[in-house]
């Protein structure tokens, strides 16, 4: 019993320690929560620096680390979350109206506050913490956002994007619990520019200044997942990566980015006969529900203005009542329905919308146009000189309606009183017109007077030859010199009948004494088989001779074997290069002109020249996606064999149109020729004798291979900007 009491006392002591530890942990957690709740958003201000919008968020206490944020592409928004922070600004929305930033909503939910920037189009942003201030830089140029401090000076971000072209890391597809399709793209950096837009029945995504590994360059078939998405096609396009998402049926989409992960969600939309909006229908406003009975139109417009935060001015002539019931309809569609029902129209000027009857707006605009026309008739003219840098002044003759004879003219781009003149010597345009027309001319010149991009075209013409020839032959002869040495000639057949055998008729005559041996040493006409190996490439065949004769040296059997084999391999590479402007023809050639005689009808002859040269004629066209379309004409001519009146010309010619990516290489064409020839020349019957028949025939074998390949590589010449 005493032992149990001791054990129970120990357990009681342990329990007390545990309770004390839990209380301490609770106090620490409460202190931490209290500390997290201490911060608050006191003010939000914005200003514009160049193309960037700088938003300064002033906090109650210093911020330890930058807040977490993400992007939403449809609708275009930037969302920034502040943990453990309250809204002390006293307002839930603040109008900004700078660049592409419309306004910002400040929402508090529990222990967290969220800032939602409403944009007119998707943009990138960067954040920097400076003590109690969080500075958000929104880049309106559409590129990477460079964070700046309170003084407007650029600072280096902690997670700076690596140099060079960034590569997309991964592309994945997932199915949501509600049947939506999610395309998840793992970006190399949070600063990669992304453009998500709907084109017809497809969703197009462009990743700016990014690369795509070969393993991700594919077309994904995801139709078996049971989502609206059927195909996802991803491929490089110039300096960007182009993705096309092909859904089916009724659908709507949204896109948001969290750090380096972009999620594009495509949701199915059920077709409901009682619902006004099926899918997107081109309306992108936030959805609202309206249910009114016999309400004034002016009051209804005020409700929409309060919901959207827009500045709506209603004309005094807008009147009447309306009964409507709208459920989950985008606000811009609801506004469109109200205006159509009451014959209204609107005009937008910045952030202000003016709503009035259509006839009233048309009448007012007509009066304004008439007033402008009257002012144009009375407004004083001004003369301005425009210097052209890249275009020639003569190119503007058609624009201004000028001809080569008169010094001035009129065209629709100028007013009735306007005129223009061209100074070819200084390459200037002299325009006289009202100031508004001069501004239009200035904009036209700014668009058209730009440097033409240039293309370097390199062609490689490869000619490879592999030739093989082999010839075999023999000479066989017999001589009987017994007559010349005092013996009997020929062979005895029967009695006094004898026969003589030699190479040819003259040899028989010399053997039988009918012909005289000139030098007494050798009978040259003793051959009766003369099939030597033919020469190759002007070279004679090698030979080996053997003679079999009697001890008295008066009968001879002569044999001469000849053989010749030629094996040749060659390669000729021609590489012409030329630089030309976009859509301008270029020509480069090198070679010779060969003279030849040409006869006329009168019988006289004249000398003319024909070119045998290497020629590259090309016209490039740079496409908007960075590829190059080439119209190519390549000639590779050379001097051939002699012919009557001159030389033959060996011609190799390719003419085609082809599209090539920048810096890529394509094979325009190729010709492969193989010539195999086996020849046998033999004496009948004797040439067919096994083994010995080789002495009565000559053989030849030829195997020639010729291959021609033409490669072409275009490169866009990079534009270099000189800093002065």
């Amino acid at each position: 019993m005493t032992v149990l009491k001791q054990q129970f006392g120990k357990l009681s002591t342990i329990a007390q320690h545990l309770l004390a530890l839990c209380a301490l942990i609770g106090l620490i957690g409460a202190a931490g929560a209290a500390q997290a709740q201490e911060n608050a958003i006191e003010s939000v201000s914005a200003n514009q620096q160049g193309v960037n919008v700088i938003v300064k968020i002033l906090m109650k206490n210093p911020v330890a680390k930058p807040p977490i944020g993400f992007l939403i592409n449809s609708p275009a928004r930037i969302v920034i979350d502040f943990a453990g922070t309250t809204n002390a600004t006293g307002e839930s929305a603040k109008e900004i109206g700078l660049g592409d930033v419309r306004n910002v909503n400040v929402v508090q939910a529990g222990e967290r506050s969220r800032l939602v920037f409403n944009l007119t189009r998707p943009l990138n942003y960067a954040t920097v913490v400076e003590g109690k201030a969080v500075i958000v830089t929104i880049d309106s140029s559409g590129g990477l956002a460079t964070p700046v401090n309170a003084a407007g000076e650029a600072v280096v971000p902690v997670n700076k994007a690596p140099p060079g072209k960034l590569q997309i890391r991964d592309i994945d597809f997932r199915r949501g619990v509600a049947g939506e399709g999610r395309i998840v793209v793992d970006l190399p950096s949070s600063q990669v520019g992304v453009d998500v837009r709907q084109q017809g029945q497809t969703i197009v995504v462009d990743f700016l200044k990014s690369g795509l590994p070969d393993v991700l360059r594919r077309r994904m078939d995801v139709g078996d997942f049971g989502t609206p998405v059927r195909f996802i096609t991803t491929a490089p396009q110039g300096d960007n990566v182009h993705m096309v998402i092909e859904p089916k049926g009724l659908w709507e989409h949204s896109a948001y980015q969290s750090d380096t992960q972009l999620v594009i969600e495509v949701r199915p939309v059920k077709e409901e006969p009682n619902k006004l909006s099926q899918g997107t229908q081109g309306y992108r406003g936030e959805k609202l529900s309206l249910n009114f009975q016999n309400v004034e139109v002016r009051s209804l417009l005020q409700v929409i203005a309060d919901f959207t935060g827009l500045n709506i001015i209603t004309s005094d002539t807008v009147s009447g009542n309306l009964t409507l019931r709208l459920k989950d309809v985008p606000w811009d569609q609801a506004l469109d329905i109200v205006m159509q029902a009451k014959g209204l129209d609107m005009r937008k000027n910045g952030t202000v919308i003016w709503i009035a009857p259509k006839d009233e707006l048309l009448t007012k605009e007509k009066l304004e146009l008439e007033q402008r026309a009257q002012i144009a008739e009375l407004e004083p003219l001004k003369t301005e000189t425009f210097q052209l840098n890249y275009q020639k002044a003569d190119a503007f003759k058609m624009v201004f309606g000028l001809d080569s004879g008169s010094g001035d003219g009129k065209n629709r781009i100028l007013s009735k009183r306007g005129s223009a003149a061209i100074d070819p010597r200084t390459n200037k345009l002299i325009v006289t017109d009202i100031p508004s027309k001069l501004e239009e001319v200035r904009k036209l010149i700014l668009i058209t007077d730009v440097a033409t991009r240039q293309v370097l075209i390199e062609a490689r013409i490869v000619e490879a030859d592999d030739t093989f020839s082999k010839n075999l032959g023999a000479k066989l002869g017999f001589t009987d010199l017994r007559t010349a040495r005092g013996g009997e000639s020929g062979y005895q057949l029967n009695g006094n009948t004898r026969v003589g055998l030699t190479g040819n008729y003259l040899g028989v005559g010399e053997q039988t004494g009918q012909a005289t041996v000139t030098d007494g040493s050798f009978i040259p006409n003793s051959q009766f088989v003369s099939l030597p190996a033919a020469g190759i490439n002007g070279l004679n065949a090698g030979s080996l001779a053997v003679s079999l004769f009697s001890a008295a040296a008066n009968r001879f059997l002569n044999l001469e074997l000849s053989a010749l084999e030629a094996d040749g391999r060659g390669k000729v590479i021609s590489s012409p290069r030329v630089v030309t402007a976009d859509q301008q023809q270029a020509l480069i050639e090198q070679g010779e002109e060969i003279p030849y005689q040409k006869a006329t009808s009168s019988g006289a002859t004249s000398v003319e020249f024909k070119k045998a040269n290497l020629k590259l004629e090309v016209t490039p066209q740079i496409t908007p996606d960075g590829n190059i379309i080439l119209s190519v004409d390549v000639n590779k001519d050379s001097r051939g064999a002699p012919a009557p009146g001159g030389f033959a010309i060996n011609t190799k010619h390719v003419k085609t149109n082809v599209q090539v990516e920048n810096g890529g290489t394509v094979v325009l064409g190729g010709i492969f020729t193989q010539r195999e020839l086996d020849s046998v020349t033999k004496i009948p019957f004797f040439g067919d004798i096994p083994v010995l028949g080789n002495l009565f025939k000559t053989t030849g074998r030829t195997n020639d291979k010729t291959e021609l390949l033409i490669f072409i590589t275009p490169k866009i010449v990079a534009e270099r900007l000189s800093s002065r």
Side-chain angles (χ1 to χ4, degrees):
M1 189 67 178
T2 305
V3 176
L4 291 176
K5 289 182 178 180
Q6 292 176 355
Q7 295 296 334
F8 181 77
K10 292 180 180 180
L11 291 175
S12 178
T13 304
I14 295 174
Q16 292 176 0
H17 285 290
L18 289 176
L19 290 174
L21 181 60
C22 291
L24 180 60
I25 294 175
L27 290 175
I28 295 174
Q35 184 178 1
Q37 289 286 347
E38 287 180 358
N39 217 341
I41 301 175
E42 294 186 342
S43 64
V44 179
S45 59
N47 62 81
Q48 190 163 7
Q49 295 182 4
V51 297
N52 297 335
V53 177
I54 311 300
V55 181
K56 183 177 181 181
I57 306 169
L58 185 61
M59 311 294 293
K60 180 180 180 181
N61 297 322
V63 181
K65 59 181 180 179
I68 299 175
F70 59 91
L71 300 173
I72 300 177
N73 291 73
S74 180
R77 290 175 178 172
I78 296 175
V79 181
I80 300 178
D81 285 339
F82 292 84
T85 304
T86 59
N87 180 15
T89 60
E91 53 185 1
S92 60
K94 182 178 178 60
E95 193 70 26
I96 294 180
L98 297 175
D100 293 308
V101 184
R102 296 186 300 172
N103 51 36
V104 57
N105 296 327
V106 184
V107 182
Q108 179 181 348
E111 301 176 355
R112 183 182 64 175
S113 293
R114 169 174 290 187
L115 268 68
V116 181
F117 294 90
N118 298 307
L119 314 175
T120 58
R121 61 189 178 97
L123 298 174
N124 286 323
Y125 77 98
T127 57
V128 169
V129 175
E130 284 192 348
K132 297 182 180 181
V134 177
I135 301 173
V136 182
T137 304
I138 302 176
D139 188 354
S140 296
S141 66
L144 301 181
T146 302
V148 299
N149 54 21
E153 301 174 351
V155 298
V156 180
V158 178
N159 53 346
K160 183 174 61 174
K165 201 169 186 179
L166 304 178
Q167 299 285 328
I168 300 296
R169 294 177 180 174
D170 192 18
I171 300 175
D172 193 12
F173 180 81
R174 302 170 188 173
R175 184 182 188 276
V177 293
E180 67 273 13
R182 293 176 181 170
I183 298 93
V184 181
V185 183
D186 192 4
L187 303 175
S189 171
S190 60
Q191 294 296 303
V192 173
V194 181
D195 182 14
V196 182
R197 61 193 183 277
Q198 180 178 345
Q199 289 185 354
Q201 295 300 317
T202 62
I203 302 171
V204 178
V205 186
D206 286 329
F207 301 92
L208 308 180
K209 303 295 182 182
S210 301
L212 185 69
D214 293 338
V215 69
L216 299 180
R217 185 175 181 175
R218 60 193 177 186
R219 179 180 174 88
M220 300 171 59
D221 185 355
V222 295
D224 295 337
F225 283 83
T227 68
V229 183
R230 291 186 300 173
F231 301 102
I232 304 171
T233 305
T234 310
Q237 188 180 73
D239 293 336
N240 307 330
V241 175
H242 188 69
M243 175 185 288
V244 179
I245 303 171
E246 302 176 35
K248 61 181 178 179
L250 292 175
W251 51 271
E252 59 184 4
H253 78 283
S254 62
Y256 59 89
Q257 180 179 342
S258 178
D259 196 16
T260 60
Q261 189 177 76
L262 173 69
V263 179
I264 304 167
E265 190 174 274
V266 183
R267 299 177 296 276
V269 176
K270 295 182 180 180
E271 186 173 1
E272 300 179 8
N274 297 327
K275 194 171 183 180
L276 295 178
S277 176
Q278 302 290 344
T280 56
Q281 295 289 333
Y283 298 107
R284 300 183 179 275
E286 295 185 14
K287 294 182 180 180
L288 54 78
S289 297
L290 299 174
N291 187 358
F292 293 101
Q293 295 289 334
N294 198 23
V295 66
E296 291 185 358
V297 176
R298 302 175 67 89
S299 301
L300 184 58
L301 294 176
Q302 183 64 36
V303 171
I304 297 177
D306 293 339
F307 178 81
T308 60
L310 296 175
N311 300 317
I312 297 180
I313 299 177
T314 306
S315 175
D316 294 338
T317 56
V318 176
S319 61
N321 297 341
L322 188 65
T323 299
L324 77 164
R325 176 183 173 85
L326 302 177
K327 184 178 180 181
D328 293 337
V329 176
W331 69 263
D332 47 356
Q333 185 181 9
L335 180 60
D336 195 12
I337 292 172
V338 172
M339 291 191 300
Q340 290 179 5
K342 304 303 291 184
L344 305 177
D345 203 353
M346 70 175 181
R347 296 294 182 266
K348 187 175 182 180
N349 185 4
T351 60
V352 179
I353 296 178
W354 179 34
I355 298 179
K358 289 184 179 180
D359 296 339
E360 180 181 342
L361 291 176
L362 293 177
T363 302
K364 184 177 182 300
E365 290 175 349
K366 181 180 178 180
L367 292 175
E368 289 179 355
L369 292 176
E370 291 177 353
Q371 292 175 359
R372 291 179 184 177
Q374 293 176 0
I375 293 174
E377 293 290 339
L378 302 176
E379 191 174 3
L381 301 179
K382 293 185 178 181
T383 301
E384 188 169 347
T385 302
F386 300 94
Q387 176 68 56
L388 300 180
N389 299 321
Y390 303 101
Q391 298 285 345
K392 291 192 176 294
D394 292 340
F396 285 82
K397 284 185 177 181
M398 295 182 61
V399 177
F400 296 111
L402 304 178
D403 52 37
S404 57
S406 62
D408 57 11
K410 296 181 177 62
N411 193 271
R412 286 179 298 175
I413 194 173
L414 301 178
S415 65
K416 295 180 180 180
R417 299 186 296 156
S419 62
I422 292 176
D423 185 5
R425 184 179 61 86
T426 59
N427 201 35
K428 291 182 179 180
L429 294 177
I430 305 172
V431 183
T432 301
D433 210 331
I434 60 178
S436 60
K437 290 297 181 180
L438 292 177
E439 184 63 26
E440 293 180 8
V441 174
R442 184 179 294 104
K443 292 180 180 179
L444 175 63
I445 294 176
L446 184 63
I447 296 174
T448 57
D449 188 28
V450 294
T452 304
R453 303 175 71 182
Q454 295 181 331
V455 182
L456 169 65
I457 301 103
E458 177 183 1
R460 289 186 293 278
I461 305 172
V462 181
E463 301 173 86
D465 296 330
D466 188 354
T467 60
F468 176 79
S469 299
K470 182 173 68 173
N471 293 332
L472 297 176
K475 290 183 179 180
L476 182 63
F478 174 77
T479 304
D480 190 352
L481 298 180
R482 287 180 296 176
T483 302
R485 300 181 184 277
E488 296 181 355
S489 61
Y491 298 92
Q492 182 179 3
L493 295 179
N494 185 11
N496 292 329
T497 303
R498 309 180 71 84
V499 61
L501 181 65
T502 184
N504 51 31
Y505 184 82
L506 180 60
V508 172
E510 292 174 344
Q511 183 187 77
T512 58
Q514 302 176 64
T516 305
V517 180
T518 56
D519 56 359
S521 60
F522 185 71
I523 303 301
N525 296 321
S526 63
Q527 297 176 3
F528 54 86
V529 175
S530 181
L531 296 173
I536 300 176
N537 297 331
L539 301 177
N540 296 326
S543 62
L544 175 65
V546 178
S547 179
L548 181 65
F549 53 92
S550 64
N554 52 15
R555 286 194 295 271
F556 295 85
L557 180 62
N558 302 319
L559 175 64
E560 179 182 343
L561 300 177
S562 59
L564 182 63
E565 180 177 318
D567 191 1
R569 290 180 177 87
K571 182 170 66 174
V572 179
I573 300 178
S574 305
S575 181
R577 299 181 182 180
V578 65
V579 178
T580 183
D582 183 22
Q583 301 186 26
Q584 296 295 323
Q585 186 181 31
L587 173 66
I588 183 172
E589 60 181 346
Q590 178 190 13
E592 60 178 339
E593 292 188 355
I594 302 174
Y596 65 95
Q597 292 183 353
K598 182 179 180 181
T600 62
S601 58
S602 62
T605 59
S606 62
V607 178
E608 294 187 0
F609 293 87
K610 186 173 179 61
K611 291 183 178 181
N613 56 6
L614 170 65
K615 183 182 73 171
L616 171 63
E617 184 177 341
V618 59
T619 303
Q621 177 184 349
I622 303 175
T623 61
D625 56 358
N627 295 329
I628 304 172
I629 299 176
L630 298 175
S631 178
V632 189
D633 191 353
V634 181
N635 273 3
K636 179 65 172 68
D637 301 338
S638 60
R639 183 193 295 260
F647 288 87
I649 296 179
N650 301 324
T651 302
K652 302 176 182 66
H653 185 199
V654 172
K655 184 176 182 180
T656 183
N657 291 325
V658 64
Q659 178 175 337
V660 193
E661 62 182 6
N662 182 25
T665 301
V666 66
V667 181
L668 292 184
I671 300 175
F672 179 78
T673 304
Q674 184 174 3
R675 178 174 176 266
E676 294 185 0
L677 178 63
D678 291 327
S679 61
V680 177
T681 304
K682 63 182 179 180
I683 298 176
F685 179 73
F686 295 100
D688 298 330
I689 300 175
V691 182
L692 295 179
N694 294 322
L695 303 177
F696 299 90
K697 63 183 176 182
T698 179
T699 60
R701 182 183 179 187
T702 302
N703 188 359
D704 295 341
K705 299 177 183 179
T706 303
E707 188 171 7
L708 171 67
L709 293 176
I710 300 178
F711 304 86
I712 193 162
T713 303
K715 297 179 182 178
I716 300 176
V717 179
E719 299 178 359
R720 298 181 180 178
L721 300 178
S722 59
S723 58
R724 295 182 179 179

